Amino acid sequence: MIPDLAHLAARGESVTLELKRSTGELREAMHTLCAFANGQGGQVLLGVKPGGELIGQQVSEQTLHDIATARERFEPPLDLHIQSVEVASGRSVLVLTVGGISDSVPYTFDGRAYERVGNTTRKMAQERYELLLLESAHSRRRWENQEADEVPLQELDRQEVMRIVEAARSAGRLVGPVGRGLPELLDRLGVRHKGRLLRAAVVLFGKTFLPHHPQCELRMARFRGTDKTEFLDQRNVRGPAFRLLEEAELFCQRHFPLAGRIESGRLQRVDRPLIPPDAMRELLVNAFIHRDYSIAGGAVSLAIFDDRVEIWSAGRYPIGITPESLTRPHLSVQRNPIIAEVFYRAGLIEKWGRGTNRVAEMCRAAGLSAPEFAEVTGAVVVTLRVNVGQTLAADWGVLAPDRGESPTDWGRSLSERKSTRRRVKSSKNQVPDPERQPCARPSWRLPLFGPGSLRSLPMSCITTRTS
C-alpha cells in the first residue's frame, strides 16, 4: 500500500486531492486530472468514499483499458501515473497522479480546459486559457533565445563584452575563471547556445544593426512646451543596450536643470538633481530589459517636455503584471530573462520585483510624485511629473540656469554667469550641436555604474538631429 494512503484519504479533498467511489465517475476524474495538470499537480483516488473511507473496487483489464482510452483524450498528451493499491481481498484503490507547473500547459480534456479552485474543479475561462497559451509559447520560444544565424562572431563588439565581464566580476556576480576568448566569454554570459549566437547577444554586444535588427534603437527628444509640436533637440541612436542606456542618461543630463548651492564649511557645491539619478536609471533599465524585441519597428523612447518626462518601450506588460501592481509588492516577471541576467550580472538590477517600488520611494523622498505607469496602444509608458521648464533653484537660493549653460557653469559666481548669459543671449534656447560633438562625454557626467564598475568607452553612434 502507498505509505499513509488511509491517512491521505482521511484528510479529504483539497486543491491537490480528489476522491471518487469508482471508475463509474471516470469522466469527472479526468476533468480533475486536467485541472491538476494546469495547476500544482495532484492525485485522484478511485475507490474512496467522500468521507475518506477506503472501499476499493474490482480492477479488471477492462478497467485499465477504459482509463487508457480516456487518457488519449487529453491534449497535449498527459503524463499520467497509475498505481493499483489493494485494500481488501479482490478490491483495490486506483491512484492516478499528474504533475504540475509544466511548459505544456494549458491541458484540455475533450477540447475543454479545467482548473482547480480549492477543492472544486471547474471549466477554465477563455481569457485565462488564452493567457496560459501565450505564457507557455513565450517561455519556450522567445525572440531573445532564437539563433542569430545572420550575425557572425566578428560582428560583436569584443571591447563591450570585456567591459560587461569586468563589471560583473567587480559586482561579484561572475566568479571563477572566465577565459579571454570571445566565445568563452559569451558562453559564460549565456548569450551563446551550442556554439551559436543568440539574438540576445546582438542586443547586448552588437556593432551593426541594419538591416536585421532595427529595433535596437533609442529615440530621444526634448520638446518645447507640453506637446510634440516643436522639437528643441532630437537624437536617434542604434547601439548595444548598455551604450544606449548611457546615451539616455547623457541626454537627461543635457536637458535637466540642476540646482545647487555652496554650503558654509564645504568646498564642494551641493547639487540637487531634477530627478534622483538612481530612480531615472532604474526606469531606463526596465525599459531596455522588459521591452518586446520581436517588434521590428519598436524602440525605447525618451521624451522630455516642460512639465514631464516620459519613457516609452515597445510591447505590453508581461503576463501577470499590471500598471497598478507595480506600485505594490509584486513578483519579478521577466520578458527577456537572458538579457535581464546580463544586466543583473553587471550590477544594474536585482531580481526581487522591488525596482519600481524603490523608484517611487526615491521620488517621494525628493519631493516628487511617484511615477505613473500605463499601457498605451501596445506600449508601456512611464511618466514622471516634474517641472523641466524651471530649475528647483528657487528653493535653494541660486540663480536658475539658462539654455546654453552647461552644468560646469552653474557653480560659478553670479557675475561670471551673467557675463556668460550675455555671450549666449543670441543663441538662447539652443542646445549644443551633436554634429560638431557627436556622442560627447562631458566631464560633468554622473557615472552610469557604481564605483569600480564599468569604464566609459567611446561610442560610434548613428545620430540625427532636428531643431
Side-chain angles (χ1 to χ4, degrees):
M1 178 182 292
I2 293 178
D4 296 326
L5 178 60
H7 177 67
L8 176 65
R11 289 163 53 186
E13 296 182 339
S14 67
V15 69
T16 57
L17 181 67
E18 179 89 342
L19 309 178
K20 298 294 184 186
R21 289 178 177 271
S22 69
T23 49
E25 300 176 277
L26 183 60
R27 182 177 179 83
E28 291 77 11
M30 293 294 128
H31 293 169
T32 298
L33 289 171
C34 181
F36 287 159
N38 286 327
Q40 305 174 33
Q43 295 176 312
V44 174
L45 307 184
L46 299 173
V48 181
K49 288 184 177 182
E53 180 185 353
L54 305 181
I55 57 174
Q57 71 167 68
Q58 293 183 346
V59 179
S60 63
E61 289 295 326
Q62 183 61 43
T63 303
L64 298 177
H65 175 75
D66 291 342
I67 295 175
T69 300
R71 180 180 179 178
E72 294 176 356
R73 290 146 64 184
F74 283 97
E75 181 63 37
L78 182 66
D79 184 12
L80 175 62
H81 179 71
I82 306 172
Q83 187 172 2
S84 178
V85 180
E86 188 175 22
V87 294
S89 178
R91 301 185 70 83
S92 301
V93 170
L94 291 173
V95 182
L96 311 183
T97 306
V98 296
I101 317 301
S102 166
D103 287 342
S104 298
V105 297
Y107 287 92
T108 63
F109 180 77
D110 280 347
R112 286 301 305 256
Y114 295 85
E115 62 183 352
R116 190 74 168 176
V117 179
N119 61 356
T120 304
T121 297
R122 69 183 187 187
K123 293 180 180 178
M124 184 180 294
Q126 184 66 22
E127 182 179 5
R128 170 69 176 165
Y129 175 72
E130 292 173 357
L131 284 175
L132 285 177
L133 275 179
L134 288 173
E135 191 175 39
S136 175
H138 180 73
S139 66
R140 295 191 304 271
R141 183 179 177 84
R142 306 182 307 275
W143 184 91
E144 64 159 3
N145 69 0
Q146 300 306 296
E147 296 175 358
D149 294 327
E150 67 281 356
V151 180
L153 191 64
Q154 295 76 13
E155 286 298 320
L156 296 190
D157 188 336
R158 188 179 188 278
Q159 282 187 313
E160 183 72 354
V161 176
M162 291 298 298
R163 193 170 76 119
I164 302 309
V165 168
E166 180 184 342
R169 299 191 70 173
S170 297
R173 294 177 176 177
L174 191 64
V175 297
V178 296
R180 301 295 296 179
L182 185 57
E184 291 82 3
L185 295 174
L186 296 173
D187 287 342
R188 283 300 305 273
L189 293 175
V191 294
R192 225 172 58 123
H193 181 65
K194 295 182 179 180
R196 293 181 176 272
L197 291 179
L198 303 181
R199 289 172 178 171
V202 181
V203 169
L204 295 164
F205 307 118
K207 292 192 292 187
T208 304
F209 302 93
L210 293 178
H212 299 296
H213 301 95
Q215 62 269 61
C216 298
E217 183 179 21
L218 170 66
R219 301 167 187 167
M220 301 170 285
R222 171 64 166 109
F223 295 97
R224 186 190 300 276
T226 60
D227 57 31
K228 297 181 180 180
T229 303
E230 181 180 355
F231 288 103
L232 289 176
D233 190 16
Q234 181 186 15
R235 291 168 64 86
N236 297 334
V237 183
R238 285 192 177 93
F242 289 98
R243 299 298 183 87
L244 294 183
L245 176 59
E246 291 175 317
E247 291 301 316
E249 204 168 57
L250 282 172
F251 195 81
C252 290
Q253 292 174 352
R254 181 181 183 182
H255 290 287
F256 286 176
L258 179 67
R261 68 177 179 183
I262 303 297
E263 291 185 344
S264 176
R266 297 188 60 171
L267 295 177
Q268 293 183 330
R269 184 170 60 98
V270 179
D271 293 332
R272 184 179 179 182
L274 178 69
I275 299 170
D278 287 345
M280 192 68 197
R281 184 179 305 141
E282 180 77 29
L283 295 176
L284 288 168
V285 167
N286 283 347
F288 284 109
I289 66 176
H290 294 309
R291 58 164 293 196
D292 187 348
Y293 282 96
S294 68
I295 303 175
V300 171
S301 299
L302 172 63
I304 302 175
F305 302 86
D306 283 0
D307 63 343
R308 68 192 186 280
V309 175
E310 295 179 351
I311 302 172
W312 292 65
S313 55
R316 300 180 181 275
Y317 282 105
I319 294 172
I321 296 296
T322 64
E324 295 76 23
S325 69
L326 293 175
T327 59
R328 304 189 301 266
H330 59 277
L331 292 175
S332 176
V333 180
Q334 298 172 351
R335 173 178 275 119
N336 305 294
I338 297 175
I339 294 173
E341 176 68 17
V342 179
F343 270 80
Y344 167 77
R345 288 182 180 273
L348 285 177
I349 65 169
E350 300 295 337
K351 294 183 176 180
W352 295 95
R354 300 186 309 125
T356 53
N357 299 112
R358 289 181 58 249
V359 169
E361 292 169 2
M362 286 186 281
C363 287
R364 284 191 286 265
L368 305 175
S369 300
E372 301 169 10
F373 300 94
E375 188 175 292
V376 181
T377 60
V380 170
V381 186
V382 183
T383 302
L384 291 160
R385 302 287 177 182
V386 290
N387 193 350
V388 185
Q390 300 179 26
T391 180
L392 298 178
D395 297 331
W396 286 58
V398 298
L399 184 65
D402 267 357
R403 305 279 183 218
E405 290 183 336
S406 74
T408 53
D409 295 321
W410 301 345
R412 299 160 59 190
S413 69
L414 178 60
S415 60
E416 289 176 320
R417 292 177 60 199
K418 285 183 176 179
S419 176
T420 300
R421 289 186 177 185
R422 284 194 293 270
R423 291 196 302 270
V424 301
K425 184 176 181 180
S426 62
S427 60
K428 188 175 181 180
N429 290 331
Q430 292 183 3
V431 292
D433 190 346
E435 296 299 328
R436 288 184 291 169
Q437 292 184 316
C439 300
R441 294 287 193 270
S443 59
W444 45 268
R445 172 189 172 212
L446 294 174
L448 174 60
F449 301 95
S453 295
L454 297 190
R455 293 193 297 268
S456 178
L457 299 175
M459 176 179 179
S460 175
C461 59
I462 305 169
T463 305
T464 62
R465 178 175 180 267
T466 302
S467 60

